[in-house]
């Protein structure tokens, strides 16, 4: 058996609707089923998804857009100074650039201001507004922030500075009192799409100002959209889809320099390149120092300046990675070693000196590790403040639950799955207590078991080059449009090996009776030792096209695997146990020995803790191996012993070694003609001294001494002869008895049969034999998914 890492929640399909799509749109079964499983079950919805409207929604459908545009143009005409008030993450930085670039092209006297994460925190703050007023600015336009700035809006009015807020974060019950609020989620909004990123809102404002869609700014809108993990559908999907070709051919100094330091092949850039290559680097300066240098990179008009800034940003990102790793290790140690967290459903952890700029990343890692909602704080004892970053799990709405504790939180904001907050250090214990109480009311035990959403179950034979090409039309992939994750049941992995410089990846072939498919599992190399060739497995993963030497083939990117039957691992013939025993899991494993002599012969004393010696059928029957991995070190002394050990028990794995010091099958088994000759010889002699003449007789007949001794023992047991100190005497007129009545004869026949069945059989034959010994194949109904 092999347990899946998570529960698999598999979407159920609708065969009738899928067949209808196949007929109407000439789709392959694979793609038609997946579209239906994602709720796209009509030809019209599929066409709209695969080929989104070329036109964006009209920007003036957003509330207050007319007020905002009029005020900006009035400021430009009057020469008023204005400032784009941004945020320090990738969404905020790209928003800042998109609006600032446009304002300057329109002739505005515009600058940007991004608050310092450490001294000012997220969003508007009174001191910054007063400073900007004193510096001569008349208009502040926020991007990717401001919707929670109730107090700051009042300050702006008080000091006589106009405030326009553009944001996409969750609006509270009270909106700031300011000149204009551009926000798709306003309660009074009729805008057709609610899930724009901050940069998406800024992009709509720019479109309204220019009277057209600025294609040259689409790459930045796409970067912010992908980085902020907003749903990649409707306008967000259109932004990214239109932007990717532009990014691949862009001559923008800053973007090209950033791609170079990130090691991205510009012509092959995709949404994953942005998520894992560009976005972390854009975020890094704001996390450790100040995000302004990224805006400077985007504004750079000189290649050398852009290269220098990109290099500095890349070095900051490396520093960020090191800090994250260090804090993560410290946090895991604190949580794992302290009894304070044993019963917590929401983990709240903090420490002085933890870098406030990276605690969000640390929180995400802790959620992956413990699968609990997490808040990580950086404590500043000098100010008495705790700056926190929260990450959650699907069934716990972090924003709403923090809102329930708002009297403890002078400053917070965010989404259901993530939030930022600032509070007094002294109030942190109470927040922890209240969040855990709320969690206990909302969450069940099952909610703390990680779930993997699987798009559907598909037959292996439905996967081919054409179906995968159709599937890739689902791109660009992202939040709420992830790469399709597929389940394939009842497959085997006859070829499997570790690959990569560090042998940490897994390469395999998955197959059934009619089809096979190449498979790769990144960072899953350890599983090569946990999957046996003939095991029936279920796998989940993604589909891709692998191109090698101008040949294109479909490939399965393995994400998880489940085996619900017991597995056989064959180590017969490998006498040195130290060469393979490390592949047996240390936990839930037991080494079975049927002969005490084997312990010394194989030097098993170091394994004494996990060793069990089977002395009889009774001890075999009483040996508790349910759910365990068992290692059959030596050959059982009888078939009954093995049956008693295995019958009706549900083992997880069997590692078969079957050491046998003297293999009976390799010794001559006398035929009845051999016995007939030997009896005639003894009858003629009457008396035979085996100790004196046994070797001579063996040489004369060309038999082994072992064979002659065996026949004489059989005759003794059948009472054909008597035996006294090696002297055999023939009994006159013995009763007629068959050779099979001798226990020695029976045992040797059984051992030979066992050796044939267990030692000298093929892998498949051995698996079938052990299945019979167990009594059932221990096949369980597949319950690895919901």
């Amino acid at each position: 058996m092999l347990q899946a890492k998570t529960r698999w929640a598999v979407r159920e399909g609708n065969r009738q609707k899928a067949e209808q799509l196949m007929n109407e749109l000439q789709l392959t079964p694979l793609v038609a089923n997946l579209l239906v499983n994602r709720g796209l079950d009509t030809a019209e919805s599929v066409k709209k998804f695969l080929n989104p409207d070329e036109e964006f929604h009209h920007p003036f459908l957003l509330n207050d857009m007319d007020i905002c545009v009029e005020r900006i143009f009035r400021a430009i005409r009057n020469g008023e100074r204005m400032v784009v008030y941004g945020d320090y993450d990738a969404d905020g930085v790209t928003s800042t650039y998109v609006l600032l670039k446009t304002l300057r092209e329109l002739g505005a006297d515009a600058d940007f201001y991004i608050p310092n994460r450490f001294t000012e925190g997220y969003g508007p703050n009174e001191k910054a507004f007063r400073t900007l007023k004193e510096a001569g600015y008349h208009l502040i336009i926020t991007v990717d922030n401001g919707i929670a700035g109730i107090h700051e809006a009042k300050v702006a009015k008080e000091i006589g500075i106009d405030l326009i807020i553009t944001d996409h974060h969750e609006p509270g019950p009270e909106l700031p009192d300011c000149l204009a609020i551009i926000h798709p989620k306003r309660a009074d909004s009729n805008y057709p799409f609610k899930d724009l990123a901050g940069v998406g809102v800024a992009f709509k404002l720019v479109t309204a100002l220019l009277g057209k869609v600025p294609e040259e700014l689409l790459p930045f809108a796409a970067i912010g959209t992908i980085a902020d993990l907003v749903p990649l559908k409707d306008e967000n999907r259109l932004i990214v889809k239109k932007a990717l070709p532009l990014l691949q051919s862009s001559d923008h100094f800053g973007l090209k320099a950033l791609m170079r330091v990130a090691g991205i092949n510009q012509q092959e850039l995709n949404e994953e390149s942005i998520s894992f290559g560009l976005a972390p680097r854009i975020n890094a300066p704001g996390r450790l120092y100040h995000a302004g240098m990224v805006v400077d990179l985007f504004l750079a008009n000189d290649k050398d300046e852009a290269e220098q800034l990109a290099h500095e940003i890349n070095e900051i990102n490396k520093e960020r990675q090191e800090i994250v790793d260090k804090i993560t290790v410290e946090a895991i140690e604190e949580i794992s070693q302290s009894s304070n967290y044993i019963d917590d459903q929401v983990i709240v952890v903090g420490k002085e000196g933890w870098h406030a700029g990276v605690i969000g990343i640390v929180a995400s890692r802790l959620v992956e590790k413990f699968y609990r909602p997490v808040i990580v704080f950086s404590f500043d004892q000098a100010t008495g403040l705790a700056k926190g970053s929260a990450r959650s799990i699907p069934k716990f709405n972090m924003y709403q639950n923090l809102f329930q504790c708002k009297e403890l939180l002078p400053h917070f904001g965010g989404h259901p799955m993530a939030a930022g907050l600032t509070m007094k250090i002294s109030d942190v214990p109470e927040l922890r207590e209240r969040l855990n109480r709320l969690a206990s009311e909302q969450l069940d035990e099952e909610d703390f078991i990680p779930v993997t959403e699987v798009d559907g179950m598909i037959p292996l034979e439905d996967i081919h080059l054409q179906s995968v090409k159709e599937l890739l039309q689902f791109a660009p992939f992202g939040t709420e449009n992830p790469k399709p994750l597929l389940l394939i049941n009842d497959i085997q992995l006859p070829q499997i090996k570790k690959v990569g410089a560090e042998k940490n990846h897994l390469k395999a072939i998955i197959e059934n009776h009619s089809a096979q498919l190449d498979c790769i599992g990144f960072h899953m190399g350890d599983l090569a030792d946990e999957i046996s060739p003939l095991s029936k497995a279920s796998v989940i993963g993604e589909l891709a096209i692998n191109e090698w030497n101008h040949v294109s083939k479909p490939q399965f990117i393995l994400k998880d695997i489940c085996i619900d039957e017991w597995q056989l691992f064959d180590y017969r013939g490998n006498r040195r146990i130290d060469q393979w025993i490390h592949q047996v899991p240390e936990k839930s494993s037991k080494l079975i020995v049927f002969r005490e002599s084997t312990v010394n012969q194989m030097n098993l004393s170091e394994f004494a803790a996990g060793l069990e010696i089977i002395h009889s059928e009774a001890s075999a029957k009483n040996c508790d191996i349910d759910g365990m991995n068992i290692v059959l070190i030596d050959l059982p002394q009888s078939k009954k012993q093995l049956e008693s050990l295995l019958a009706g028990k549900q083992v997880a794995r069997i590692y078969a070694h079957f050491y046998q010091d003297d293999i009976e099958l390799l010794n001559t088994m006398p035929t009845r003609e051999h016995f007939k000759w030997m009896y005639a010889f003894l009858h003629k002699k009457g008396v035979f001294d085996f100790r004196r003449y046994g070797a001579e007789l063996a040489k004369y007949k060309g038999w082994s001494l072992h064979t002659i001794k065996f026949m004489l023992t059989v005759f003794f047991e059948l009472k054909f002869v008597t035996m006294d100190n090696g002297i055999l005497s023939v009994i006159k007129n013995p009763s007629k008895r068959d050779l099979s009545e001798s226990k020695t004869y029976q045992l040797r026949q059984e051992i030979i049969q066992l050796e044939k069945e267990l030692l000298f059989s093929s892998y498949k034959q051995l698996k079938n034999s052990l299945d019979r010994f167990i009594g059932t194949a221990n096949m369980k109904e597949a319950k690895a998914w919901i």
Side-chain angles (χ1 to χ4, degrees), residues 627-659:
M628 300 192 74
N629 309 303
I630 62 168
V631 184
L632 300 177
I633 297 290
D634 57 0
L635 203 70
Q637 298 183 60
S638 69
K639 186 175 182 178
K640 276 288 187 184
Q641 269 192 337
L642 194 56
E643 283 180 346
S644 298
L645 177 71
L646 297 177
K649 298 175 184 175
Q650 294 188 342
V651 295
R653 301 176 190 174
I654 295 178
Y655 294 80
H657 184 55
F658 292 136
Y659 169 78

Side-chain angles (χ1 to χ4, degrees), residues 363-377:
S364 295
R365 291 196 181 180
L366 295 182
V367 172
E368 290 177 12
K369 172 75 174 175
F370 298 104
Y371 203 70
R372 297 282 189 275
V374 173
I375 302 179
V376 179
F377 281 107

Side-chain angles (χ1 to χ4, degrees), residues 28-35 458 462-464 467-468 471 486 543:
T28 60
L30 167 64
V31 171
N33 278 290
L34 287 176
L35 287 166
I458 57 165
D462 280 356
I463 300 172
H464 46 77
S467 62
V468 179
L471 186 65
L486 307 172
L543 286 172

Side-chain angles (χ1 to χ4, degrees), residues 324-620:
V324 168
D325 290 344
K326 181 176 181 295
I327 297 175
T328 302
V329 169
E330 291 179 7
I332 291 173
E333 286 179 354
E334 166 70 17
I335 296 164
S336 302
Q337 295 176 9
S338 173
S339 60
N340 295 335
Y341 297 92
I342 292 175
D343 298 322
D344 279 11
Q345 294 183 330
V346 179
I347 295 173
V348 179
V349 62
K351 187 177 180 181
E352 186 171 15
W354 282 357
H355 202 296
V358 300
I359 52 178
I361 304 174
V362 175
S364 295
R365 291 196 181 180
L366 295 182
V367 172
E368 290 177 12
K369 172 75 174 175
F370 298 104
Y371 203 70
R372 297 282 189 275
V374 173
I375 302 179
V376 179
F377 281 107
S378 172
F379 296 150
D380 185 343
Q381 298 294 346
T383 62
L385 294 178
K387 291 184 179 179
S389 192
R391 299 292 183 271
S392 196
I393 59 177
K395 293 295 182 72
F396 190 78
N397 186 314
M398 184 60 77
Y399 179 83
Q400 286 183 1
N401 281 287
L402 286 174
F403 190 79
Q404 296 296 314
C405 310
K406 60 182 182 298
E407 65 272 18
L408 299 176
L409 305 171
H411 205 76
F412 81 100
H415 309 286
M417 295 292 287
L421 58 155
T422 302
M423 62 187 303
K424 294 178 181 178
I425 296 175
S426 57
D427 287 338
V428 170
E430 184 178 349
L431 177 68
R432 174 184 171 189
E433 181 183 338
R434 289 173 63 172
L435 287 176
N436 272 283
R437 187 166 62 249
L438 288 167
S440 67
E441 296 168 357
Q442 299 170 29
L443 302 175
D444 298 324
E445 187 176 339
E446 197 175 66
D447 295 328
F448 295 104
I449 302 173
V451 175
T452 299
E453 300 286 341
V454 181
D455 284 272
M457 181 175 65
I458 57 165
L460 185 59
E461 48 271 23
D462 280 356
I463 300 172
H464 46 77
L465 198 58
Q466 179 58 33
S467 62
V468 179
K469 285 181 178 178
E470 281 187 14
L471 186 65
L472 295 180
Q473 293 181 55
F474 286 30
F477 300 111
T479 304
E480 293 195 18
N481 182 41
K483 282 188 176 181
L485 196 62
L486 307 172
L487 164 67
I488 309 175
N489 277 331
D490 295 328
I491 55 92
Q492 294 177 326
L493 294 89
Q495 298 180 35
I496 187 166
K497 62 181 179 180
K498 299 177 183 180
V499 296
E502 299 179 6
K503 301 296 181 186
N504 59 333
H505 307 307
L506 182 147
K507 186 179 176 71
I509 288 177
I510 58 177
E511 69 175 23
N512 61 15
H513 60 281
S514 61
Q516 66 172 212
L517 180 65
D518 289 344
C519 172
I520 185 78
F522 295 107
H523 306 290
M524 301 177 76
D526 289 345
L527 286 182
D529 299 328
E530 300 191 45
I531 303 170
S532 59
L534 293 183
S535 294
K536 282 289 178 68
S538 297
V539 293
I540 60 171
E542 300 167 353
L543 286 172
I545 294 176
N546 183 30
E547 296 185 5
W548 180 255
N549 288 337
H550 307 292
V551 176
S552 297
K553 294 174 66 178
Q555 186 179 52
F556 192 72
I557 312 299
L558 183 67
K559 298 298 181 182
D560 202 359
I561 182 167
C562 174
I563 299 174
D564 282 306
E565 64 177 5
W566 76 270
Q567 293 192 84
L568 170 64
F569 294 85
D570 190 358
Y571 289 102
R572 294 173 297 174
N574 190 334
R575 285 185 168 283
R576 291 192 54 183
I577 191 171
D578 61 307
Q579 293 180 345
W580 55 269
I581 196 66
H582 63 278
Q583 294 181 9
V584 179
E586 290 185 20
K587 292 183 178 179
S588 302
S589 295
K590 190 172 288 187
L591 278 63
I592 304 295
V593 173
F594 294 97
R595 295 175 174 84
E596 285 198 50
S597 59
T598 301
V599 177
N600 291 327
Q601 288 170 336
M602 295 194 66
N603 192 25
L604 300 177
S605 55
E606 62 179 294
F607 306 109
L611 201 65
E612 182 144 353
I613 301 175
I614 304 298
H615 295 97
S616 62
E617 291 173 24
S619 64

Side-chain angles (χ1 to χ4, degrees), residues 4 7 45 94 227 364 418 423 431 496 534 536 624 675 739 753:
R7 290 181 296 146
S45 64
T94 51
S364 295
M423 62 187 303
L431 177 68
I496 187 166
L534 293 183
K536 282 289 178 68
D624 183 11
F675 279 102
L739 293 172
Q753 185 57 35

